[in-house]
Amino acid sequence: VTRYRPNTVAPIARVTGVFTDQLQTNLSSLPRFTTGSRLSLLFDSIDLKTVPEKRLFRCRIMSGVKTADEVGGTRESPEFRTWLPASKETQYDWTPREPGTYTFAVQAIDRDLNYSEPATLVLHVFAPWYANAWVLYPGGASFAGLGLIALLATTKARRRKREARELRERLFAEEQKARAIAEN
């Protein structure tokens, strides 16, 4: 006869790294990431009573800098429903679309459905130089201006060629006429 005692100690969740083109494990000095780049956020838990195959995690990304207290929320709060469904995955892939500061939060869930305190990671995302409005609009205007200049230069060159061809044809016709008169 055995007696099952549910665990009352919550597991500890932790973010272990960020993978882009290389693994970043020093989470205190992460580089800034560009919009459109794929980030793989790696996490794990410290839980000695739940086998690793049975551990569940849930995560979410919010804009702005949030503390662990602001992230969690109670079961009745609307923020509680914004968590992604729990899964066994220890990696979350995310591609930021907008520049800004984001907070990634992850919670570990053990076999007795005890939720850990959220582990958070602040990510800074910026637009690449070519998507910056201070570069995009003047650059676009410059390319449009160069295109207009090229169009005007092409039109002028074609008109000169057409005038030169017409002048050659007129001179050839006058020369033919002068020969005909000289032969008669």
Side-chain angles (χ1 to χ4, degrees), residues 142-164:
S142 299
F143 281 123
L146 289 173
L148 182 63
I149 290 171
L151 180 68
L152 292 174
T154 302
T155 305
K156 191 173 182 179
R158 287 181 180 167
R159 186 179 43 189
R160 284 184 184 166
K161 285 182 180 180
R162 186 181 67 241
E163 288 173 357

Side-chain angles (χ1 to χ4, degrees), residues 86-105:
S87 73
K88 295 179 183 177
E89 296 295 322
T90 59
Q91 172 178 323
Y92 177 69
D93 295 327
W94 179 57
T95 305
R97 299 283 174 222
E98 297 294 323
T101 302
Y102 295 92
T103 301
F104 170 73

Side-chain angles (χ1 to χ4, degrees), residues 5-6 48 52 67 83 96 102-103 113 116 122-123 128 131 137 140 143 150 153 156 161 166 177 179:
R5 289 186 194 168
L48 301 176
T67 62
W83 288 90
Y102 295 92
T103 301
L113 299 180
S116 71
V122 176
L123 303 166
Y137 294 131
F143 281 123
K156 191 173 182 179
K161 285 182 180 180
E166 290 172 358
K177 208 187 284 181
R179 273 193 195 160

Side-chain angles (χ1 to χ4, degrees), residues 157-176:
R158 287 181 180 167
R159 186 179 43 189
R160 284 184 184 166
K161 285 182 180 180
R162 186 181 67 241
E163 288 173 357
R165 187 180 64 241
E166 290 172 358
L167 183 61
R168 261 187 265 118
E169 289 173 359
R170 197 172 353 139
L171 285 174
F172 185 69
E174 287 178 12
E175 184 182 331
Q176 293 291 335

Side-chain angles (χ1 to χ4, degrees), residues 43-68:
F43 45 87
D44 199 1
S45 72
I46 300 172
D47 182 10
L48 301 176
K49 297 210 176 197
T50 307
V51 293
E53 296 81 28
K54 301 274 184 174
R55 291 179 187 162
L56 294 175
F57 299 94
R58 67 179 192 159
C59 52
R60 74 190 265 204
I61 291 188
M62 300 154 292
S63 61
V65 177
K66 309 282 185 192
T67 62

Side-chain angles (χ1 to χ4, degrees), residues 15-33:
V15 180
T16 57
V18 178
F19 186 78
T20 53
D21 53 347
Q22 58 183 328
L23 180 63
Q24 304 284 334
T25 56
N26 185 3
L27 302 178
S28 61
S29 63
L30 284 175
R32 293 176 12 163
F33 303 103

